[in-house]
């Protein structure tokens, strides 16, 4: 089968198209024929050896796709060949991916393969931060960093659906328009404006109740400044670099909370997975949750897609066609 491979650590330049054997079924495994593959920002960390899962060379990048089940292991009894599914698991930049049962999500009829590939990680990450790690309430002020990216757009829509007032940050006027289009009430260009001062101003000096931060170094410390009393900052990525240490007294002074979040902790909990999927699918069905496709590339051009997402010019999700 065709796949994108890499056999040394590095940026987009280490990836190359190649041929590898189709994966063999293992107990608990589901073999999926990928129709659409999603690019995640974390894929760029994986090829550099900076993701929580380390590559084993030669390895295949990718952690999200949608397609049709080709075969299931004998101990997988609730999924059948021919079913349309989404996958969250390693090695999706390929024609076929072998995936553990708990990482396979049957796709409802109303979801295309494009949305099936583009939404799972973004919607589950956003949903569980807003509903599991935090409980977003009507009227809350929620600040979403990089609000025109895939997770950002999903977070804006889910927070709005919960009745929150959403303030997005973005790095360009084009992205500001996108964030507003998907429901952000206010948008701050954090390249040209001090987002913490703006967030304070937009909340009449009170500050925001929740910040979703996957930028890290440039935003984390300033975020603490613009949290309201009892405010909560969730760090879930580091696109701009890892943040420095924090002074716990800064939390103590205003009863603040700082959390971290990584989605893989949700997969192993069937009940949490079910709650997130049920509610996110409801929002999709009601037309209140979607992610725009900001670029479509042939699988062989995965390196170009990585350069695009790293350039900060991408909007929504980039996808690869095998
Ligand atoms: N913890 C988890 O389980 C989890 C799950 C999914 C994603 N994530 C994280 O969430 C973030 C969003 O993921 P995504 O796949 O949806 O990507 P994305 O938002 O589509 O792209 C990343 C965005 O980060 C922003 N950014 C800020 N500083 C940057 C820099 N120095 N270089 C590049 N980008 C920078 C850019 O938006 P602006 O131009 O508007 O600043 C860029 O568009 C990533 O940091 C990712 O690692 C975490």
């Amino acid at each position: 089968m065709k796949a994108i491979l890499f056999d040394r650590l590095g940026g987009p330049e280490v990836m190359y198209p190649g041929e590898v054997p189709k994966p063999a079924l293992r107990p608990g495994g589901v073999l999926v024929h990928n129709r659409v593959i999603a690019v995640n920002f974390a894929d760029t960390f994986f090829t550099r050896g900076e993701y929580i899962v380390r590559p084993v060379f030669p390895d295949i990048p990718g952690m999200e796709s949608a397609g049709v089940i080709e075969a299931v292991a004998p101990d997988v009894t609730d999924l059948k060949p021919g079913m349309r599914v989404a996958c969250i698991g390693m090695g999706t930049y390929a024609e076929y991916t072998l995936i553990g049962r708990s990482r396979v999500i049957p796709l409802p009829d109303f979801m295309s393969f494009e949305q099936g590939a583009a939404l799972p990680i973004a919607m589950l990450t956003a949903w569980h931060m807003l509903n599991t790690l935090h409980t977003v309430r009507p009227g809350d002020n929620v600040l979403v960093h990089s609000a025109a990216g895939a997770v950002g757009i999903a977070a804006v829509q889910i927070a709005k659906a919960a009745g929150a007032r959403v303030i997005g940050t973005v790095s360009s006027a084009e992205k500001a328009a996108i964030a507003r289009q998907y429901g952000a009430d206010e948008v701050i260009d954090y390249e040209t404006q001090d987002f913490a001062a703006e967030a304070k101003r937009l909340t009449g000096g009170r500050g925001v109740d929740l910040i979703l931060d996957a930028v890290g170094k440039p935003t984390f410390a300033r975020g603490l400044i613009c949290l309201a009393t009892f405010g909560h900052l969730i760090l879930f990525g580091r696109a701009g670099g890892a943040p420095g240490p924090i002074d716990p007294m800064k939390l103590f002074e205003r009863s603040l909370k700082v959390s971290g979040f990584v989605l893989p902790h949700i997969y192993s909990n069937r009940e949490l997975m079910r709650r997130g999927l049920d509610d996110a699918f409801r929002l999709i069905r009601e037309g209140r949750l979607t992610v725009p496709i900001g670029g479509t590339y042939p699988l062989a051009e995965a390196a170009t897609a990585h350069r695009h997402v790293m350039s900060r010019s991408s909007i929504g999700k980039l996808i690869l066609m095998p």
Side-chain angles (χ1 to χ4, degrees):
M1 67 170 184
K2 292 192 184 70
I4 295 296
L5 301 165
F6 69 115
D7 42 28
R8 63 192 166 98
L9 298 181
E13 72 284 355
V14 302
M15 294 190 287
Y16 59 92
E19 286 278 340
V20 291
K22 209 195 258 192
L25 270 182
R26 283 198 302 262
V30 177
L31 184 65
V32 176
H33 188 179
N34 294 321
R35 296 291 169 83
V36 179
I37 299 156
V39 174
N40 278 275
F41 195 80
D43 297 341
T44 70
F45 288 128
F46 182 62
T47 64
R48 292 200 303 265
E50 294 170 6
Y51 187 60
I52 42 176
V53 179
R54 299 295 151 128
V56 180
F57 296 134
D59 211 329
I60 299 173
M63 52 186 75
E64 192 174 34
S65 65
V68 175
I69 295 181
E70 177 94 351
V72 298
D75 59 337
V76 176
T77 52
D78 59 339
L79 295 175
K80 300 271 176 280
M83 285 176 74
R84 299 167 73 252
V85 293
C87 312
I88 304 179
M90 303 310 289
T92 58
Y93 285 15
E95 281 182 282
Y96 294 86
T97 304
L98 182 69
I99 206 104
R101 166 62 191 96
S102 63
R103 307 294 191 92
V104 178
I105 302 167
L107 277 184
D109 290 342
F110 55 80
M111 271 181 87
S112 64
F113 285 126
E114 280 78 9
Q115 288 292 298
L119 266 168
I121 289 182
M123 73 185 188
L124 289 173
T125 301
W127 193 92
H128 283 289
M129 288 193 291
L130 290 162
N131 293 286
T132 304
L133 216 56
H134 189 88
T135 305
V136 65
R137 294 202 168 79
D140 279 357
N141 283 293
V142 176
L143 189 147
V144 178
H145 284 306
S146 41
V151 178
I153 287 174
V156 167
Q157 293 167 96
I158 296 170
K160 281 298 292 177
R165 176 182 184 227
V166 179
I167 302 172
T169 67
V170 292
S171 67
S172 70
E174 186 194 9
K175 289 184 173 187
I178 293 287
R180 281 189 202 282
Q181 182 186 332
Y182 285 88
D185 298 282
E186 308 285 350
V187 183
I188 303 168
D189 183 332
Y190 58 176
E191 286 297 296
T192 57
Q193 289 173 289
D194 175 345
F195 79 84
E198 267 302 286
K200 279 268 209 184
R201 187 186 67 77
L202 290 167
T203 53
R206 180 179 171 274
V208 297
D209 303 291
L210 176 66
I211 299 179
L212 304 184
D213 186 353
V215 177
K217 191 171 182 180
T219 46
F220 183 79
R222 297 290 299 157
L224 294 180
I225 290 169
C226 67
L227 281 176
T229 304
F230 294 120
H232 184 186
L233 188 159
I234 303 178
L235 181 74
F236 69 106
R238 54 189 159 91
I246 52 170
D247 175 1
M249 288 306 292
K250 297 267 183 254
L251 309 181
F252 175 64
E253 283 161 6
R254 277 181 298 128
S255 301
L256 304 181
K257 184 160 80 170
V258 172
S259 306
F261 179 78
V262 284
L263 187 60
H265 292 140
I266 299 292
Y267 307 139
S268 50
N269 186 319
R270 287 177 76 114
E271 173 56 18
L272 280 180
M273 269 298 266
R274 194 194 54 74
R275 281 181 50 217
L277 286 172
D278 284 355
D279 199 46
F281 282 151
R282 174 185 64 81
L283 292 173
I284 296 165
R285 199 174 51 244
E286 292 171 0
R288 295 200 284 171
L289 176 59
T290 182
V291 170
I293 305 299
T296 304
Y297 295 87
L299 175 60
E301 290 175 23
T304 310
H306 275 211
R307 289 189 184 96
H308 188 180
V309 76
M310 290 166 75
S311 72
R312 294 184 76 168
S313 62
S314 68
I315 280 167
K317 201 80 162 184
L318 305 182
I319 55 171
L320 306 173
M321 306 305 284

